[in-house]
Amino acid sequence: MTLNTLDRRSALRAALGVAGAAATASLVGATPAEAHGRHRRHPSLPEVPGMVGDRWANEFWYQYDEMSYYTPSQEMSDAVYAIVAPFGGFTKTYDAWVETRKSGRYPRSYMELIRPNKAAFEVVSREQIKIYDQFYGRDPRGLLFAFQEYGQGTLFDPRRPDGQKVHMMNYTPPSPTHAYHRWHPFLAGFALLGIKPHYWTHINRLAGVAWELQSLAQPITDRNDNPHLPKRTVRRVTAKWMCRDRAELDKAFDVFPFPVDLGK
């Protein structure tokens, strides 16, 4: 089983990490422009004709996909397979997590499911953090901006094939995306296993920001002019998610397909 048999951009994004999680409080309330405008200066990158949106954020998501989806190492592929096998496959990850939530024994019931494969979680953690450190290890504001743009679908990258040219969470219209909900069990799992729990919880908040922004914006695949949401909306959504603790994040992702407090 290879990563190419899994959902586009979903399997290994479940293992995101970021330095600077302690900066969460300073990010609350920041608009995309504010978050981006104050982040550190990045090296210049070659121009990509036809690319739309922030050059650095585009490159970050592009390189992340290269490492996690298009050209993963055998070690990474094996680790992901080991993680998803107990769930019944990647597309069953959320279903399996929901069942443990319903059991009345969460988080113990979920820990029993994932603890035997802690070593695989550690492999995925290590490899993902390499990419996060490369692009945003000292720039938590920039990372927030990258997630806000990702959720709104404003990063158009012509280097990708048809159907995948916008860096955003995959979905099959008219059905809403399942990918954020398949992502959450991984992020919750990292924290429960004690693998850089502050990183994973921080990323879980950012994933929530992106999920709600995508739910509101409804960006179109391969469209190079998906509009931004109003800044006040982005600010409100960001502030809400960045204040949530792990229990609140679990509760938020109990709901599908859209946040129960969408846009509020």
Side-chain angles (χ1 to χ4, degrees):
M1 181 177 185
T2 68
L3 291 184
N4 288 341
T5 67
L6 306 179
D7 263 5
R8 159 75 173 156
R9 300 183 179 133
S10 302
L12 295 183
R13 282 185 180 162
L16 302 177
V18 57
T24 297
S26 68
L27 297 178
V28 172
T31 66
E34 289 166 348
H36 184 51
R38 293 199 296 265
H39 70 186
R40 69 181 178 87
R41 190 176 188 86
H42 295 130
S44 60
L45 295 169
E47 180 182 356
V48 177
M51 178 176 285
V52 176
D54 183 78
R55 181 68 181 86
W56 194 256
N58 261 302
E59 192 67 24
F60 162 66
W61 290 115
Y62 178 88
Q63 294 299 336
Y64 192 90
D65 281 349
E66 285 294 296
M67 177 274 302
S68 64
Y69 178 77
Y70 288 102
T71 58
S73 67
Q74 188 62 51
E75 182 183 31
M76 181 69 74
S77 297
D78 291 345
V80 172
Y81 177 72
I83 291 169
V84 304
F87 300 144
F90 181 72
T91 61
K92 301 296 184 181
T93 56
Y94 182 66
D95 296 339
W97 181 79
V98 167
E99 288 304 310
T100 68
R101 294 281 288 170
K102 292 179 178 178
S103 71
R105 298 176 58 247
Y106 185 89
R108 285 184 299 163
S109 55
Y110 188 57
M111 285 286 289
E112 291 167 359
L113 187 63
I114 64 176
R115 187 183 290 115
N117 290 307
K118 181 178 180 180
F121 276 88
E122 290 173 335
V123 168
V124 177
S125 170
R126 181 191 69 223
E127 295 305 306
Q128 302 312 295
I129 288 174
K130 289 179 183 178
I131 296 295
Y132 275 73
D133 281 351
Q134 177 184 350
F135 284 89
Y136 292 111
R138 297 181 181 179
D139 187 11
R141 296 180 186 276
L143 182 64
L144 170 62
F145 172 78
F147 269 78
Q148 291 169 329
E149 297 296 281
Y150 179 79
Q152 294 172 90
T154 56
L155 301 172
F156 178 84
D157 195 334
R159 294 174 293 182
R160 287 301 181 219
D162 291 345
Q164 300 175 357
K165 292 186 183 298
V166 174
H167 293 298
M168 57 184 282
M169 199 60 84
N170 60 303
Y171 72 106
T172 304
S175 299
T177 180
H178 290 77
Y180 287 107
H181 289 74
R182 292 168 181 164
W183 188 358
H184 175 71
F186 285 78
L187 298 172
F190 281 103
L192 289 172
L193 290 169
I195 304 171
K196 297 188 180 297
H198 295 298
Y199 288 173
W200 302 142
T201 302
H202 181 67
I203 292 299
N204 210 345
R205 296 184 185 109
L206 296 182
V209 171
W211 170 38
E212 185 158 350
L213 292 178
Q214 183 166 336
S215 299
L216 290 166
Q218 296 289 306
I220 305 301
T221 301
D222 283 1
R223 179 173 171 174
N224 66 1
D225 60 350
N226 284 316
H228 283 90
L229 292 166
K231 290 182 179 179
R232 63 181 179 278
T233 300
V234 177
R235 182 185 297 112
R236 182 171 61 249
V237 168
T238 300
K240 176 174 62 178
W241 282 93
M242 297 296 273
C243 293
R244 286 176 168 165
D245 61 22
R246 282 160 54 181
E248 290 169 329
L249 291 168
D250 282 339
K251 184 177 180 180
F253 279 99
D254 281 336
V255 180
F256 178 85
F258 305 117
V260 68
D261 54 353
L262 181 63
K264 299 179 181 178

